[in-house]
């Protein structure tokens, strides 16, 4: 019993340590991305790091996977391809905590295939709104992420915000519930929770 208790404690400490490292890494990267004179390549590397770490602190329902060999798919809607290229290079050969290889797919437009993604990053350049994405993915277990102003409030799950001190996240819990994904309370504690306010 004592050995089991020690193992559980060690596992808890390990998860806590991983989360601390995650937060520290993001804080270390954040000053490099500024609202003025931002280096876009650096900005998208930071956002790619977020996309990767979301796999550690967000759980997808079993229905999101066709089988044990299903890859974890991150879609990037990016007409120009520059942001998608940075994300793809940053996440090359990465795997999720459960051992699923991460595959980055670039989309030039909003198509029905985006509903097959686990994460969908909607870039600013795409001009696509959260409402438009929802009309395609419905209630599928897709973590919809964007970078336009008010993305989370308008129906996305996570919105990236570039401010004077770096890149931050807005989180819409209603959107997460609709998608059937479960956010760790530790992740929610380092993000800003926003209320969904969809314009109809």
């Amino acid at each position: 019993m004592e050995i089991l208790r020690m193992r559980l404690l060690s596992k808890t400490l390990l998860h806590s340590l991983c989360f601390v490292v995650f937060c520290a890494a993001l804080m270390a990267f954040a000053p490099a991305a500024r609202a003025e004179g931002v280096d876009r390549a650096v900005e998208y590397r930071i956002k790619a790091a977020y996309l990767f770490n979301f796999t550690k602190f967000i759980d997808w329902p079993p229905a999101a996977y066709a089988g044990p060999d299903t890859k974890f798919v991150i879609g990037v809607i990016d007409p120009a391809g520059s942001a998608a290229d940075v994300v793809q290079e940053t996440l090359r050969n990465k795997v999720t905590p459960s051992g699923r290889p991460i595959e980055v797919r670039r989309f030039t437009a909003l198509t029905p295939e985006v509903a097959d993604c686990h994460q969908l990053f909607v870039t600013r350049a795409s001009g696509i709104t959260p409402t438009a994405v929802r009309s395609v993915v419905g209630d599928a277990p897709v973590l919809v992420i964007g970078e336009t102003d008010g993305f989370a409030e308008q129906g996305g799950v996570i919105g990236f915000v570039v401010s004077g001190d770096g890149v931050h996240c807005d989180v819409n819990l209603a959107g997460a519930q609709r998608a059937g994904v479960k956010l760790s309370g530790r992740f929610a504690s380092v993000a800003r929770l926003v209320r969904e306010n969809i314009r109809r």
Side-chain angles (χ1 to χ4, degrees):
M1 180 64 72
E2 187 64 30
I3 293 175
L4 178 60
R5 187 178 296 112
M6 290 178 65
R7 285 178 178 173
L8 289 174
L9 179 59
S10 297
K11 188 174 182 180
T12 300
L13 290 173
L14 179 60
H15 280 259
S16 299
L17 178 60
C18 287
F19 186 68
V20 170
V21 171
F22 164 48
C23 295
L26 292 178
M27 291 300 292
F29 275 120
R34 301 291 178 178
E36 297 180 3
V38 65
D39 182 319
R40 292 299 178 191
V42 171
E43 177 185 344
Y44 283 111
R45 281 198 292 272
I46 294 170
K47 290 176 178 178
Y50 267 108
L51 298 178
F52 175 64
N53 281 291
F54 290 159
T55 68
K56 301 178 181 179
F57 300 101
I58 299 176
D59 292 327
W60 277 256
Y65 304 103
D69 297 327
T70 303
K71 292 182 178 180
F72 187 90
V73 179
I74 298 178
V76 182
I77 305 182
D78 179 26
S82 55
D85 287 345
V86 174
V87 172
Q88 191 165 45
E89 180 58 33
T90 304
L91 301 184
R92 190 181 304 279
N93 299 324
K94 296 290 186 183
V95 297
T96 68
S98 61
R100 296 182 185 275
I102 293 177
E103 177 184 344
V104 178
R105 295 180 188 170
R106 177 195 165 205
F107 298 92
T108 58
L110 186 59
T111 65
E113 288 75 21
V114 301
D116 296 328
C117 299
H118 298 93
Q119 291 183 21
L120 182 64
F121 178 30
V122 183
T123 64
R124 187 181 300 106
S126 72
I128 297 171
T129 66
T131 302
V133 176
R134 286 185 59 202
S135 70
V136 173
V137 303
D139 294 333
V142 180
L143 186 75
V144 180
I145 306 153
E147 57 181 356
T148 54
D149 292 342
F151 191 88
E153 291 95 328
Q154 294 166 23
V157 181
I158 295 177
F160 286 130
V161 179
V162 179
S163 62
D165 57 350
V167 179
H168 306 281
C169 290
D170 285 347
V171 175
N172 169 14
L173 294 180
Q177 184 176 20
R178 184 169 50 246
V181 297
K182 185 177 180 181
L183 279 63
S184 163
R186 291 175 297 172
F187 170 68
S189 70
V190 297
R192 187 181 71 149
L193 302 182
V194 298
R195 185 182 297 274
E196 185 171 275
N197 182 23
I198 301 174
R199 298 176 183 175
R200 300 186 184 280

